[in-house]
Amino acid sequence: MAQEDKFGEVVVAVDIGTSKVVVVIAEVFADATIKTLGSGFRQSAGVEAGVVTNIGMIVNALREAVEAAEQKAEPITEQMFQGGFRVDSVFIGIAGKHIEGNDCVGNYKIQGNKVAQRDIEQVLQSAIGGLDIASGRRKLHVLPKQYLVGDTPCKNPLGMSGDNLKVKAYVVTCDENAAANIQTCLDHLDLRLEQMVLQPLASAYSVLQEDEKKLGVCVLDIGGGTTDIIVMIDGAVSFIHSIPIAGYDISNDISSTYRTPFADAEKVKVKHGCALPALLESGDSKVKISLADLGDNSAEEMDAGALAVVIEKRVEQIFEMVKYELLKWLNPTWQPGTDTANLTPVHEVIGGVVLTGGSANMRGMEELAEEVLHTKVHVGKPAQKLEGTDKDKLSDPRFATVLGLLQYGAEARMQAETLAANPSKESFWQKVKRFFIGRD
């Protein structure tokens, strides 16, 4: 971390997923270094396909995860955390099939001869006002893609001279009830919501490199209940979508095929799973996997090659669905089921795909994704600058979302503080935000 950044922003992030509830307390610095101070992990029950379905179960898991993180929290100075650290506010993620994104345009007559911060805020409001947001839906994010001052395109109009300001933006909305149920879970524990953040956006914060965001990249966050898609082109979010098939379904296929409990199927997937049978050498494919070796009393055995075939079928389906959604987005007039020969292919717009989430760790995921999507694929490592407690555990793709929430939260808070102190001054964190949402 930078020498002058003696202390950073202390942020608490919460990731409520289909398979796990994670709470991380961390100090985040302006150079994007994350120093984790305390963390708590609990198994999740009460979430289906990324959506809370049992508030009581989630409240119990969240309470235990918060308490574990508080007990582990290491003080930054002798004066801090006296009497123990207590979580009172959090940044939390939201995901699921109900998430939607739409392009919109806003126009505003500049109040003066140069663009001020208030002009930018007003043109963004104009963009939102021109979008028909259905009843029962809530705005999550307004992500600018490009500004025009008069006829001059730019990504950061602040201080530019002109009469009229225009913005092209991408607005993300969610189901009101899905968001309200997350809020209710926090209310039960007297936790104040600082901001609700789209989970794949947080994951993108954590795993993407600067050149990837500029050249065009698709992040696939393959979690327990959903596979979340987010595409960034020229540094701006251009497309999002959520597919309600993911790691849980892979484990469920193993469970049903071999008539073994889901928990054992999950262990088999994590320890022995392979998404591409062709990667197994002839000898390896015949290796017998014993459930007894995983702590199960069953005498059941499974062939490694046959197991890979079961996994491949589901993973291939996931990637085919991703390809289908990307093709629909890139070719708005295409009618599914018709000829695809003249369609704009994925690889012409997107320079590569980055896999993250728990299922990204499985052997063969990169190779199978490349076969289906016909583009370069790699697994993204979250938070390149990670220090502190549980560093080794949190550096896994399973925790890309919660680490991204920490980065997003620190940026949002520091930007608000800077604007309050000096509305005309752009901070480092505002520059970071411009990069992620297309202001350059």
Side-chain angles (χ1 to χ4, degrees), residues 110 146-154 157 164-168:
I110 297 171
Q146 185 186 57
Y147 291 95
L148 286 93
V149 180
D151 296 325
T152 305
C154 63
N164 188 70
L165 179 62
K166 181 177 181 180
V167 66
K168 296 178 181 178

Side-chain angles (χ1 to χ4, degrees), residues 9 16 43 57 60 76 84 87 114 155 235 290 376 419 438:
E9 286 284 332
I16 298 177
Q43 186 174 355
M57 287 184 174
N60 290 336
I76 301 171
V87 173
K114 290 186 178 181
K155 291 190 175 179
S290 173
K376 294 180 291 184
L419 284 176

Side-chain angles (χ1 to χ4, degrees), residues 220 222 227 229 241 243 245 312-328 334 336 340 346 365 368-374:
L220 299 182
I222 311 174
T227 296
I229 306 168
H241 191 79
I243 297 170
I245 301 177
E312 179 190 37
K313 183 178 180 180
R314 180 64 74 178
V315 175
E316 186 174 18
Q317 179 196 23
I318 292 172
F319 290 142
E320 286 288 355
M321 293 177 73
V322 169
K323 181 179 179 180
Y324 173 81
E325 296 300 337
L326 291 174
L327 285 175
K328 281 202 306 180
W334 174 54
T340 61
V346 172
M365 293 293 284
L368 185 52
E370 287 185 347
E371 283 189 13
V372 175
L373 300 173
H374 304 293

Side-chain angles (χ1 to χ4, degrees), residues 90-154:
V90 302
F91 288 85
I92 195 166
I94 184 170
K97 183 67 176 175
H98 61 96
I99 300 292
E100 295 178 0
N102 297 97
D103 288 305
C104 61
V105 176
N107 286 282
Y108 184 71
K109 183 174 176 57
I110 297 171
Q111 303 299 301
N113 58 358
K114 290 186 178 181
V115 177
Q117 183 64 36
R118 64 177 179 273
D119 298 313
I120 297 174
E121 293 169 359
Q122 288 297 322
V123 77
L124 290 173
Q125 286 299 322
S126 171
I128 299 169
L131 189 65
D132 184 17
I133 299 177
S135 175
R137 297 198 62 77
R138 174 188 297 188
K139 172 178 63 69
L140 270 181
H141 301 285
V142 182
L143 306 173
K145 298 166 73 174
Q146 185 186 57
Y147 291 95
L148 286 93
V149 180
D151 296 325
T152 305
C154 63

